[in-house]
């Protein structure tokens, strides 16, 4: 890797030399040379602990990135972020989703008072709307049993994650998520709902998102077809553009707004999560916000060398740019977190999958790795073969919940044992002697011994949450947000726009026009023209 322009030569060379050393030295040897390594690199953030000791973190890496933090003026940039400067330069907007989860006393001292008032008013209006809708849900004469949450990307992924993670097993209120324009998803939901006992929530920051509005329209038509009285009275809109919702026909008192400075993939803290909040109740949703605020405080007040989101981002950057890792895997050993990976895929790759620096020039280093993963123990029977013996370096993360919310403790002990065992196996691997010790019958079978040997030296991080609660989930998501921001700072990009998404939307409209019977596809490349022609031919 060539030296990024903003980095000091000494820090860059230090990381290059460290990568060369680590490539030829087993990760387990770091424990041999530092008897206090586990304590030194296990961090307690209150809501969860984070064990980085099985990664390549060491004093050399921390010192190099501490210098880089000075090189890129990280402290000043962080202050601008938290105080409402328009750090999203391409859209000339501040990025202030953190305000929605903080007490007013924690707001940045340089924050515009008008923005502070917007944050306070937004939270108050959201809470008032929750009370109003809950009163409607619980009416004995027309009880509501189902909520249909219609949104896509940031208007759905975070809310669905929170709902699945925190819903009680015996909840009488069901929430269904419709994100895809593919009607198969919508029809599955409608098949199990009754029009008379269903409310619909259309979630769109601009209230112009084509997929969302089409799905909302189809649900309203379904209700009308089943004889539901006044379907529009069952529709609520959550948006930063109330006027567009009014023009769509949504009742004024059914529009729940949020500020324009809340980005889509950072909107889980806002009224976008209205359906999850209705399930959780006001107190538990407040606890979710408080968990996030606890990480905000650590991020805002802690120097880079001890700042856990920053150090985690440094490891991401080191593996991507100095060790050749092109992806990072995340495994949640809890079924309730089955939507965590899709949420983090959007958060990280939409934020940092960029090829332009903040000044518009091409980047001079690698940006976002591919983020992927799944739920343990399922993934152990699919992708873990590649993790242990594949030819790609893939740093992995394991999220473990110490106490389950059920009484089948033998199940949970087995689940935890599997997750912990994988981190140990990735670290140490196994050689021929290890295999012979547990499988004496392999003695003399050279082919089998070689096939069952793997090197270890595969880095992993372990998160331990005492319990999956609103507070701990809020803290975990806020940690990943700040980590994403820090990585964007290290590679000098704007983590808060998404121009690639906008291009795809525009082209989709052009393709849709060309698919009409008399549509013209001549403006497209030959392959695209052929695909369109074949579809029209059927």
């Amino acid at each position: 890797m060539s030296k990024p322009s903003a980095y000091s030569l000494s820090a860059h060379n230090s990381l290059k030399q460290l990568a060369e050393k680590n490539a030829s030295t087993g990760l387990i040897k770091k424990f041999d040379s530092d008897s206090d390594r586990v304590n030194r690199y296990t961090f307690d953030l209150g809501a969860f602990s984070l064990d980085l000791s099985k990664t390549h973190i060491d004093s050399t890496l921390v010192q190099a990135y501490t210098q880089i933090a000075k090189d890129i003026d990280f402290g000043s940039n962080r202050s601008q972020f938290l105080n409402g400067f328009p750090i999203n330069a391409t859209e000339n907007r501040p990025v202030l989703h953190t305000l929605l989860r903080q007490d007013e006393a924690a707001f940045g001292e340089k924050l515009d008072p008008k923005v502070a008032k917007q944050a306070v008013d937004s939270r108050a209006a959201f809470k008032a709307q929750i009370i109003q809708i809950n009163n409607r849900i619980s009416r004995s004469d027309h009880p509501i049993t189902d909520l249909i949450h219609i949104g896509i990307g940031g208007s759905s992924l975070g809310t669905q994650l929170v709902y699945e993670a925190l819903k009680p097993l015996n909840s009488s209120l069901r929430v269904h998520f419709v994100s895809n324009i593919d009607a198969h998803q919508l029809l599955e939901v409608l098949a199990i709902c009754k029009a008379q006992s269903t409310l619909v929530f259309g979630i769109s920051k601009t209230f112009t998102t084509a997929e969302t509005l089409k799905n909302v329209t189809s649900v309203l038509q379904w209700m009308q077809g089943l004889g539901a009285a006044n379907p529009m009275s069952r529709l609520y809109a959550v948006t930063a553009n109330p006027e567009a919702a009014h023009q769509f026909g949504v009742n004024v008192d059914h529009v729940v707004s949020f500020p324009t400075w809340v980005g889509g993939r950072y909107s889980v803290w806002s009224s976008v999560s209205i359906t999850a909040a209705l399930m959780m109740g006001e107190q538990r949703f407040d606890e979710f916000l408080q968990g996030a605020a606890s990480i905000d405080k650590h991020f805002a007040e802690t120097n880079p060398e001890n700042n856990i989101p920053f150090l985690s981002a440094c490891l991401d950057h080191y593996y991507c740019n100095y060790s050749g890792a092109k992806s990072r895997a995340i495994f949640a050993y809890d079924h309730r977190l089955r939507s965590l990976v899709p949420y983090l895929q959007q958060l990280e790759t939409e934020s940092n999958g960029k090829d332009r620096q903040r000044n518009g020039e091409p980047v001079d280093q690698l940006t976002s790795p591919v983020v992927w993963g799944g739920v343990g123990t399922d993934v152990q029977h699919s992708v873990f073969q590649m993790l242990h013996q594949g030819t790609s370096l893939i740093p992995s993360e394991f999220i473990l919940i110490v106490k389950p919310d059920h009484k089948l403790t033998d199940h949970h002990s087995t689940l935890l044992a599997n997750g912990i065992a994988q981190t140990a196996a990735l670290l140490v691997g196994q050689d021929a002697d290890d295999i012979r010790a547990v499988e004496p019958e392999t003695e003399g079978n050279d082919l089998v011994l070689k096939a069952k040997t793997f090197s270890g030296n595969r880095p992993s991080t372990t998160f331990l949450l005492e319990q999956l609660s609103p507070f701990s989930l809020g803290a975990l998501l806020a940690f990943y947000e700040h980590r994403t921001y820090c990585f964007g700072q290290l590679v000098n990009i704007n983590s808060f726009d998404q121009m690639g998404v906008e291009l795809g939307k525009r082209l989709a409209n052009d393709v849709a026009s060309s698919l009409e019977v008399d549509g013209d596809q001549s403006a497209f490349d030959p392959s695209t023209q052929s695909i369109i022609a074949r579809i029209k031919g059927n």
Side-chain angles (χ1 to χ4, degrees), residues 53 60 70 78 85 87 89 114 116-117 137 146 177 179 200 229 260-261 274 285 288 303 329 346-347 355 406 497:
S53 67
T60 300
K70 296 175 183 176
R78 175 179 57 181
F85 286 66
I87 63 170
K114 293 180 180 178
K117 186 175 187 303
I137 289 172
D146 294 271
F177 293 88
S179 57
V200 187
T260 58
W261 38 254
I274 189 166
F285 195 78
F288 174 65
N303 290 331
Q346 189 204 18
L347 173 64
D355 67 355
H406 59 71
D497 63 8

Side-chain angles (χ1 to χ4, degrees), residues 357-504:
Q357 298 186 68
R358 284 182 288 176
N359 63 6
E361 295 300 312
V363 294
D364 53 7
Q365 51 194 307
L366 297 177
T367 57
S368 177
V370 175
V371 176
W372 61 280
V375 177
T377 58
D378 288 348
V379 287
Q380 294 177 198
H381 300 273
S382 55
V383 301
F384 271 48
Q385 167 63 40
M386 179 179 68
L387 290 183
H388 288 294
Q389 287 186 307
T391 56
S392 299
L393 175 65
I394 305 174
S396 303
E397 298 176 11
F398 292 78
I399 300 171
L400 309 178
I401 314 298
V402 177
K403 297 178 181 177
D405 286 337
H406 59 71
K407 296 181 180 180
L408 300 179
T409 55
D410 55 334
H411 282 249
H412 197 66
S413 294
T414 302
L415 179 70
L416 291 178
N418 273 271
I420 296 167
Q422 292 297 329
T423 71
L426 288 166
L427 174 66
V428 301
Q430 67 178 359
D431 58 22
D433 290 337
D434 296 326
I435 300 165
R436 292 188 193 97
V438 296
E439 299 180 58
E441 67 276 12
T442 60
E443 181 66 51
N445 191 335
D446 191 52
L447 177 62
V448 172
L449 287 172
K450 288 180 177 179
K452 292 192 174 187
T453 296
F454 49 97
S455 62
N457 200 32
R458 310 290 176 115
S460 70
T461 298
T462 302
F463 294 80
L464 279 184
L465 284 67
E466 184 69 17
Q467 199 161 15
L468 186 56
S469 66
F471 189 92
S472 64
L473 181 63
L476 184 69
L477 300 190
F479 164 84
Y480 275 107
E481 282 186 351
H482 289 311
R483 173 181 179 171
T484 299
Y485 166 79
C486 292
F487 185 94
Q489 289 293 300
L490 290 169
V491 296
N492 191 34
I493 60 175
N494 176 5
S495 296
F496 301 106
D497 63 8
Q498 53 281 329
M499 300 308 179
V501 176
E502 303 305 324
L503 171 62

Side-chain angles (χ1 to χ4, degrees), residues 305-362:
E305 61 268 27
N306 296 306
N307 193 305
I308 312 310
F310 180 77
L311 290 178
S312 297
C314 291
L315 280 165
D316 297 339
H317 182 269
Y318 168 79
Y319 284 127
C320 184
N321 280 282
Y322 291 95
S323 295
K326 299 300 190 293
S327 75
R328 195 176 89 247
I330 300 168
F331 305 111
Y333 275 66
D334 194 302
H335 176 70
R336 295 170 295 176
L337 293 176
R338 57 193 177 276
S339 291
L340 177 63
V341 169
Y343 170 82
L344 294 178
Q345 284 175 331
Q346 189 204 18
L347 173 64
E348 298 196 37
T349 61
E350 191 170 271
S351 295
N352 292 334
K354 314 280 174 65
D355 67 355
R356 300 284 134 178
Q357 298 186 68
R358 284 182 288 176
N359 63 6
E361 295 300 312

Side-chain angles (χ1 to χ4, degrees), residues 33-83:
S33 61
D34 182 0
S35 60
D36 199 39
R37 179 173 176 80
V38 174
N39 290 328
R40 191 185 315 281
Y41 296 118
T42 298
F43 304 95
D44 187 350
L45 288 172
F48 61 86
S49 65
L50 184 64
D51 182 356
L52 297 176
S53 67
K54 292 190 180 82
T55 71
H56 287 87
I57 191 171
D58 60 17
S59 59
T60 300
L61 185 145
V62 173
Q63 289 168 11
Y65 278 107
T66 300
Q67 177 58 53
I68 290 171
K70 296 175 183 176
D71 296 339
I72 64 175
D73 206 5
F74 174 78
S76 175
N77 292 341
R78 175 179 57 181
S79 177
Q80 290 185 14
F81 165 31
L82 297 175
N83 282 285

